[in-house]
Amino acid sequence: MNPFDLTGKTALVTGASRGIGLAMADSLATAGADIIAVSATLDLHGSAVQKAVESHGRSFTGYRVDFADPDAVTSFGAELIQSGSPIDILINNAGTIERAPAAQHSADSFSRVVQINLTSQFLLTQLIGRAMLARGNGRIIFTASLLSFQGGINVPGYTASKSAIAGLIRALANEWTASGVTVNGIAPGYIATDNTADLRADLGRRQAILDRIPAARWGEPEDLGGAAVFLSSDAARYISGAILPVDGGWLGR
């Protein structure tokens, strides 16, 4: 058997309308998984992620859920569980970033980022994870960050949330791995997405970042797809509590 084959699996991918989430959904579908895509802004008919998934002959279901609203996230998770369709793979990729110096960073901005990036991720994982534990099998993957390891600049809420995600990965892995549910993370490096548009527009910052990346280029969303497939597959069945950097060598510099 091909240990990377995901045929017959269903993957729930949050933040799937564009960027990293779209690329992960596309790669999982290429490996054989059917996709449930979720985003606050998802076009429910004819979205880019739907076209990508269906081009591989896989089934697609889309939902629009605002991860800034914990009640909406809880209701969505409960709806999925009640549908009776098992989720084999959960990709917690939904996220946001707000930039301002720490001394001027508003409490509302901080709270909103933490809600989307951390609290809602936990609420959804708790609901989906219970069903995985009952079945004795599942793969949970969080999108962490380089700022799960570093401090960053002008993004205190984002850094706090992504540092907490690293701890949550380890905490859940400690409790759930023995029951057949692995919990891991992927830490993207500097990827050319909407979240890094401001950095790439600042010519000085863009060049300073590029100079430190051993791969000598910014990453593309597609660079995350292989890691998502690997951690979702039986090839990674004995990996849990880990965070895999996909950063062009940044953390080793």
Side-chain angles (χ1 to χ4, degrees):
M1 293 180 60
N2 175 2
F4 300 98
D5 185 9
L6 300 180
T7 301
K9 304 293 186 181
T10 297
L12 170 59
V13 184
T14 71
S17 63
R18 61 186 186 275
I20 290 172
L22 192 161
M24 287 180 171
D26 183 38
S27 293
L28 292 168
T30 301
D34 296 318
I35 303 297
I36 299 172
V38 188
S39 172
T41 59
L42 184 67
D43 184 348
L44 297 182
H45 302 286
S47 65
V49 64
Q50 179 177 359
K51 292 176 182 177
V53 169
E54 292 181 346
S55 73
H56 302 300
R58 310 317 307 168
S59 73
F60 175 87
T61 308
Y63 291 88
R64 187 177 294 161
V65 180
D66 183 1
F67 277 70
D69 180 351
D71 292 334
V73 172
T74 300
S75 295
F76 166 67
E79 179 183 345
L80 283 182
I81 298 303
Q82 290 168 5
S83 73
S85 298
I87 305 299
D88 303 291
I89 301 160
L90 171 59
I91 307 289
N92 284 307
N93 176 70
T96 191
I97 191 167
E98 297 197 17
R99 299 181 186 278
Q104 285 81 46
H105 204 86
S106 73
D108 285 345
S109 290
F110 188 94
S111 296
R112 180 174 181 274
V113 170
V114 170
Q115 174 62 56
I116 293 171
N117 293 5
L118 176 63
T119 307
S120 286
Q121 311 298 323
F122 173 70
L123 293 174
L124 183 60
T125 301
Q126 188 180 52
L127 287 165
I128 302 301
R130 285 173 184 156
M132 289 179 171
L133 291 168
R135 294 195 310 273
N137 185 266
R139 300 283 184 265
I140 297 172
I141 301 166
F142 289 86
T143 297
S145 169
L146 294 181
L147 301 191
S148 298
F149 309 100
Q150 301 175 328
I153 299 170
N154 296 333
V155 286
Y158 184 84
T159 300
S161 67
K162 292 299 186 178
S163 295
I165 284 291
L168 182 60
I169 289 166
R170 291 188 284 268
L172 295 179
N174 287 344
E175 293 191 37
W176 293 358
T177 305
S179 298
V181 180
T182 64
V183 186
N184 293 292
I186 297 172
Y190 284 92
I191 310 296
T193 65
D194 292 348
N195 276 359
T196 61
D198 289 345
L199 292 179
R200 288 179 287 116
D202 182 331
L203 297 183
R205 287 278 284 138
R206 182 177 70 182
Q207 191 60 47
I209 289 168
L210 184 61
D211 287 344
R212 183 179 160 169
I213 301 173
R217 67 173 179 87
W218 284 66
E220 298 293 336
E222 293 74 18
D223 292 323
L224 283 299
V229 170
F230 169 58
L231 290 175
S232 298
S233 74
D234 283 344
R237 65 187 180 184
Y238 199 60
I239 298 173
S240 197
I243 301 176
L244 174 61
V246 183
D247 63 354
W250 172 279
L251 287 175
R253 190 62 178 262

